[in-house]
């Protein structure tokens, strides 16, 4: 089985959507094997999204991710990385398939409710960014 890093973003935690989003993951066969609520500093958000440092939306993205608490979690299952991204839907909610998290809950392309790792290597790095070995069973 595979593991991936998921973040429930501030627009969703603010609207009390953690449970509804988690139900989507569990209904898709993804198991939540670690989870915690944290409030990122802007610097930490910048480090996490460093790959986007040159993009025009980087500063706005870091401000948003540090604006309120987020829920970071590790999801496990067969093909968890791809399955999670399927359940999330397209980055832009206007293009997301019906029934996906972003189609149902996202407010805009920036405030789009969830993050999910995009490949095995980034999943490994992103899980290690938020969770210690002791927190993962
Ligand atoms: P994530 O990495 O959060 O799972 P993603 O892989 O679908 O989302 P990326 O292209 O990696 O999308 O962009 C990372 C995040 O940056 C997006 O989820 C969104 O919050 C923000 N973002 C992307 N494109 C834009 C944009 N054009 N304007 C504002 N914010 C954007
Ligand atoms: Mg991405």
């Amino acid at each position: 089985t595979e593991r991936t890093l998921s973040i429930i973003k501030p627009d969703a935690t603010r609207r009390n959507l953690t449970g509804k989003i988690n139900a989507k993951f569990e209904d898709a066969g993804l198991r939540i094997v670690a989870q915690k609520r944290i409030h990122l500093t802007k610097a930490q958000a910048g480090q996490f999204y460093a790959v986007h440092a040159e993009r025009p939306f980087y500063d706005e993205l870091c401000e948003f991710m540090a604006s309120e608490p987020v829920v970071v979690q590790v999801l496990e299952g067969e093909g968890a990385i791809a399955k999670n991204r399927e359940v999330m839907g397209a980055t832009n909610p206007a293009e997301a398939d019906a029934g996906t998290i972003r189609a149902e809950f996202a407010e805009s392309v920036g405030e789009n409710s969830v993050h999910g790792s995009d490949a095995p290597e980034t999943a490994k790095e992103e899980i290690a960014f938020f969770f210690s070995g002791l927190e993962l069973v």
Side-chain angles (χ1 to χ4, degrees):
T1 62
E2 191 172 66
R3 287 181 169 186
T4 191
L5 189 278
S6 165
I7 305 177
I8 302 179
K9 295 183 178 182
D11 67 284
T13 58
R14 176 175 18 96
R15 288 175 290 148
N16 253 1
L17 293 171
T18 300
K20 283 185 177 145
I21 289 172
N22 279 348
K24 295 263 193 201
F25 293 144
E26 293 188 335
D27 287 350
L30 291 163
R31 184 177 300 278
I32 301 160
V33 297
Q35 174 169 266
K36 60 189 172 188
R37 181 174 184 264
I38 60 173
H39 194 156
L40 290 168
T41 63
K42 193 177 169 187
Q44 289 167 334
Q47 200 189 336
F48 180 76
Y49 275 121
V51 62
H52 295 307
E54 303 307 318
R55 310 277 284 276
F57 56 79
Y58 180 65
D59 191 66
E60 180 192 335
L61 174 62
C62 297
E63 284 278 355
F64 166 61
M65 291 300 287
S67 64
E68 282 178 86
V70 296
V71 172
V72 294
Q73 48 193 190
V74 178
L75 307 179
E76 180 183 87
E78 215 161 296
I81 296 167
K83 189 175 281 182
N84 179 37
R85 290 184 69 87
E86 229 176 88
V87 177
M88 287 162 56
T91 309
N92 182 349
E95 290 161 14
D97 289 342
T100 62
I101 291 167
R102 283 166 168 166
E104 281 190 28
F105 303 125
E107 305 202 289
S108 66
V109 63
E111 308 206 358
N112 59 2
S113 303
V114 281
H115 163 84
S117 307
D118 57 14
E121 195 47 45
T122 47
K124 207 177 149 198
E125 286 171 17
E126 291 178 3
I127 289 169
F129 186 89
F130 289 112
F131 293 94
S132 75
L134 277 175
E135 292 174 301
L136 291 164
V137 291

